[in-house]
Amino acid sequence: MERNVNISLSSGFYTMAEVTELLGTTSARVRPWFRSTEKYAPAICSPLADRGKIADIGFLDLIEVRFVDHFRKQGVTMQALRQAAAAARDEFGERPFARDNLRFRTDRRKIYAQVATDVGDTRLLNLAQERQFELDVIEASLQRGVDFDPTSALAIAWKPFPDRFKSIVLNPERNFGRPSLEKSGIGVEEIHDAWIAEGGDIQTIENWFDIESDEIDQAIRFSKEYLH
């Protein structure tokens, strides 16, 4: 596949291995979400997809993968999610699963209910109609750690682990979307590599990058757990 360089540089760039590591899932589970079937369009329509042959994905792809994965883990069928995605794209525009859920909550619930009825997905129907509180909890959890553009309502940054790594963010406008420190934008991998080169001397790294020791610690741990 020939990559669209403008897309990759301006919207983040992540290997499938990195995506599955961050989300705790598998590539075999994720790849079909980018493919069409005879009846349905893909659950995730990506400009980086070539007939479902996904090697790398962009930031908004990552956010939508996170959404689909979350609902799959709730027992919602892939058929229902494909149809819900198509209906939501018609209603809200592209990238419906990377949009501010609160802004579209009422209309989104109607879409879920209609789709669930059409495909006979009991779990999704319960979430959309009879168990509204549970649906609200699910969508609120999906919003946690995500910043949205106030105009487009699209995700613009994501902290994958806001409790354990509160300073580390994925922002497609900084460091090409690679994990970086929120305040300075310095790449996590850059800090980790410098730490190794300096023989683990935290003080030197602190002075070199003008960052705090806690940020260094987070960068090193994050890099070890999710990037190496």
Side-chain angles (χ1 to χ4, degrees), residues 50 59 86-87 90 93 108 136 138 145 152 163 206 215 223:
D50 180 16
F59 176 74
D90 289 342
R108 193 183 302 240
D136 290 349
I138 290 171
S152 69
D163 292 326
E206 197 172 339
E215 293 177 306
S223 186

Side-chain angles (χ1 to χ4, degrees), residues 106-131:
T106 301
D107 291 337
R108 193 183 302 240
R109 186 178 287 119
K110 291 177 183 177
I111 288 176
Y112 291 161
Q114 183 60 56
V115 166
T117 300
D118 291 344
V119 304
D121 190 314
T122 304
R123 176 59 176 158
L124 183 58
L125 187 61
N126 286 342
L127 288 174
Q129 290 186 331
E130 300 172 12
R131 302 169 73 176

Side-chain angles (χ1 to χ4, degrees), residues 28-127:
R29 179 182 176 89
V30 171
R31 290 180 191 280
W33 303 344
F34 291 87
R35 299 182 185 129
S36 300
T37 67
E38 290 185 4
K39 291 184 63 177
Y40 301 109
I44 303 170
C45 289
S46 169
L48 293 174
D50 180 16
R51 292 183 294 278
K53 297 179 181 178
I54 302 294
D56 306 279
I57 67 174
F59 176 74
L60 291 178
D61 298 323
L62 172 62
I63 297 300
E64 291 206 289
V65 165
R66 179 172 173 263
F67 184 100
V68 173
D69 185 59
H70 201 80
F71 272 83
R72 287 291 286 142
K73 288 174 180 175
Q74 303 302 317
V76 177
T77 65
M78 201 62 242
Q79 180 185 11
L81 285 168
R82 287 179 184 275
Q83 193 159 325
R89 282 192 290 266
D90 289 342
E91 182 71 21
F92 308 125
E94 293 302 310
R95 304 299 192 172
F97 294 154
R99 292 182 180 272
D100 184 347
N101 291 332
L102 291 177
R103 177 175 294 196
F104 304 109
R105 178 171 290 171
T106 301
D107 291 337
R108 193 183 302 240
R109 186 178 287 119
K110 291 177 183 177
I111 288 176
Y112 291 161
Q114 183 60 56
V115 166
T117 300
D118 291 344
V119 304
D121 190 314
T122 304
R123 176 59 176 158
L124 183 58
L125 187 61
N126 286 342
L127 288 174

